[in-house]
Amino acid sequence: MLYFDANATTPCAPEVQEAMRPFWDGTFANASSPHRAGRMAAQAVAVARRAVAECLDARPQEVVFTSGATESTNLVFWGLLLAPRTRRRVVVSSIEHKAVLESAALLEEHGFQVIRVPVTPDGVVDMDMAARAITDDTALVSVQAANNEIGTIQPVLQLARLAHQAGAFFHVDAVQALGKMPVSMRDWECDFASFSAHKIYGPKGIGALFVRGGPQRWPWPHPLRGGGQEGGLRPGTLNVPGIVGFGAACTLLQRRPAENLNRLSILRDFLEKSLKDIYQEDIIILGKASPRLPNTLTLIIKDIPAEFIISIIKNSMISASSACSSDSKSASHIVTALGYRESLGKNMLRISLLESVTSTEIKNFIDNFHEAIFLVKDTV
Ligand code: PLP
């Protein structure tokens, strides 16, 4: 099977599974229990927290474990919702993941003014528009580090500075960035950032919220109530196997040879060029002129709905847009945000490579793709 849907999720690495194994039975204790077994679980959580912090270029106490990026992002927006209302504006980009867009919509339902800043035709936030949108009335700016559908990389540091100059908080959805480009909480100057372990060869259902200065510097009421875990910001019994797995995945990332990402972008470029050479004007590559994640290639095939290709292509797993949007019947919002007509959204295909991809797999994929297009054209 050619699994070319890495932006949806990645397999859990064998080393990660191995690291998690003891925490299902042998060391299964509750990390908050005072006895020896509990202290061992707590110790494993502390080790994992250090590994995650190192990977994010943050301090361990700034890492709050959650069930994943959706929860992390919701915590930020719910926190603001519960706070005394001194500022009414929230600024996001028009190409955010639904975790951000829907959270922003929630605030809108409660009287906030939400500004969705447009992006350039190549999928990068329009900085002039952002500068105009971020006013003294802005409470929160939330922009992703890299887009999940087309892989474009956003100028997070400049946005963080604009937000801070206006006295607003800055949240970054860094889910797709981690493992595919340099990530640094220190350099990005963000206040909050959301992460999911399953995008970096870790387990599903575990992630983190970076909070600058740690939970004691959280500026708003706590949205979740329960035990005092994670500084009271994310109460509930800790998912020790998941946390250990997240830590192990981060350790693997730190040890990975630096040239891996370069190799990945060479293979992606080869795939892109091969498809462009064959289909020429019949395909549009999205985000091509912008800095992009090295594993992501997203295209629109004129006249062929993506679902036909996805269902017919042999042995190859690719997706129409983000996995989270694929339930909804509407086409990806990214296509219209980039200025294309809405109907082309149904023709958008995302190919996202795992780090282990080989040139033989890419060549096989090109053959399968070509065969699928041929078959679809024959039947349409
Ligand atoms: N943000 C981005 C950019 C994503 O790609 C995803 C998942 O695809 C999420 C947020 C949500 O992550 P999760 O489903 O792990 O909560």
Side-chain angles (χ1 to χ4, degrees):
M1 177 178 80
L2 301 172
Y3 181 82
F4 282 18
D5 197 16
N7 288 9
T9 196
T10 58
C12 191
E15 298 90 332
V16 171
Q17 294 181 40
E18 200 49 45
M20 291 170 72
R21 191 152 294 131
F23 297 92
W24 294 113
D25 45 24
T27 315
F28 64 86
N30 189 322
S32 302
S33 293
H35 45 66
R36 200 170 75 86
R39 289 201 306 276
M40 279 168 70
Q43 174 62 21
V45 168
V47 170
R49 199 185 299 279
R50 282 200 293 275
V52 174
E54 201 173 316
C55 209
L56 307 186
D57 193 18
R59 290 183 290 150
Q61 62 270 31
E62 294 176 316
V63 174
V64 173
F65 288 115
T66 64
S67 65
T70 300
E71 184 188 350
S72 301
T73 298
N74 269 270
L75 280 174
V76 172
F77 282 77
W78 274 94
L80 176 59
L81 182 59
L82 296 175
R85 204 151 307 174
T86 51
R87 293 167 172 239
R88 299 178 53 82
R89 184 175 274 209
V90 170
V91 177
V92 301
S93 89
S94 61
I95 58 167
E96 293 302 303
H97 185 272
K98 281 194 167 179
V100 167
L101 289 179
E102 293 297 316
S103 298
L106 170 81
L107 294 189
E108 205 165 36
E109 284 162 26
H110 287 82
F112 280 85
Q113 182 193 24
V114 175
I115 308 291
R116 295 161 184 88
V117 178
V119 294
T120 65
D122 272 301
V124 176
V125 170
D126 182 322
M127 289 304 285
D128 290 336
M129 301 287 260
R132 265 182 273 155
I134 301 170
T135 57
D136 288 352
D137 194 30
T138 305
L140 177 69
V141 178
S142 179
V143 175
Q144 58 195 188
N147 182 260
N148 45 308
E149 298 196 29
I150 58 172
T152 49
I153 294 171
Q154 306 301 327
V156 284
L157 175 61
Q158 285 106 297
L159 287 160
R161 290 191 171 159
L162 281 179
H164 291 155
Q165 276 159 20
F169 288 100
F170 183 63
H171 166 252
V172 51
D173 172 349
V175 174
Q176 295 293 342
L178 190 61
K180 303 184 195 125
M181 59 179 268
V183 166
S184 166
M185 297 301 94
R186 206 185 309 246
D187 293 350
W188 288 3
E189 299 181 10
C190 54
D191 301 293
F192 314 108
S194 301
F195 299 93
S196 280
H198 69 100
K199 309 284 186 183
I200 59 158
Y201 307 89
K204 294 172 181 56
I206 186 75
L209 174 64
F210 162 82
V211 179
R212 184 161 305 283
Q216 73 275 19
R217 298 286 299 278
W218 179 256
W220 305 308
H222 289 167
L224 300 178
R225 302 300 165 103
Q229 294 94 340
E230 301 299 89
L233 189 51
R234 207 292 186 159
T237 303
L238 292 183
N239 170 1
V240 179
I243 291 170
V244 168
F246 190 8
C250 285
T251 303
L252 279 181
L253 265 191
Q254 294 286 90
R255 290 190 188 143
R256 172 184 66 186
E259 64 270 17
N260 276 19
L261 292 181
N262 194 29
R263 178 187 159 278
L264 202 49
S265 71
I266 290 170
L267 288 173
R268 188 272 315 272
D269 291 348
F270 169 73
L271 171 59
E272 180 176 310
K273 184 172 179 321
S274 306
L275 295 181
K276 194 73 190 157
D277 284 350
I278 301 172
Y279 300 105
Q280 306 204 359
E281 299 311 311
D282 287 340
I283 62 172
I284 304 167
I285 310 287
L286 300 182
K288 187 172 168 48
S290 303
R292 260 182 307 165
L293 294 176
N295 76 324
T296 308
L297 169 59
T298 303
L299 36 100
I300 289 175
I301 308 172
K302 293 185 193 157
D303 301 329
I304 304 184
E307 62 180 312
F308 287 178
I309 300 171
I310 293 169
S311 61
I312 214 169
I313 190 169
K314 197 170 67 190
N315 274 348
S316 308
M317 310 296 135
I318 49 178
S319 88
S321 59
S322 82
C324 309
S325 310
S326 58
D327 288 347
S328 58
K329 286 287 162 235
S330 60
S332 166
H333 61 291
I334 303 291
V335 166
T336 43
L338 297 179
Y340 295 101
R341 61 176 195 276
E342 196 180 350
S343 58
L344 282 179
K346 300 219 179 310
N347 299 18
M348 187 177 114
L349 266 182
R350 180 183 70 184
I351 303 164
S352 51
L353 309 174
L354 290 174
E355 222 177 292
S356 57
V357 71
T358 63
S359 55
T360 311
E361 286 174 334
I362 299 269
K363 285 178 193 146
N364 290 341
F365 176 79
I366 294 168
D367 290 345
N368 295 351
F369 189 83
H370 196 45
E371 188 184 300
I373 297 271
F374 183 76
L375 287 172
V376 172
K377 279 197 167 156
D378 216 30
T379 48
V380 167

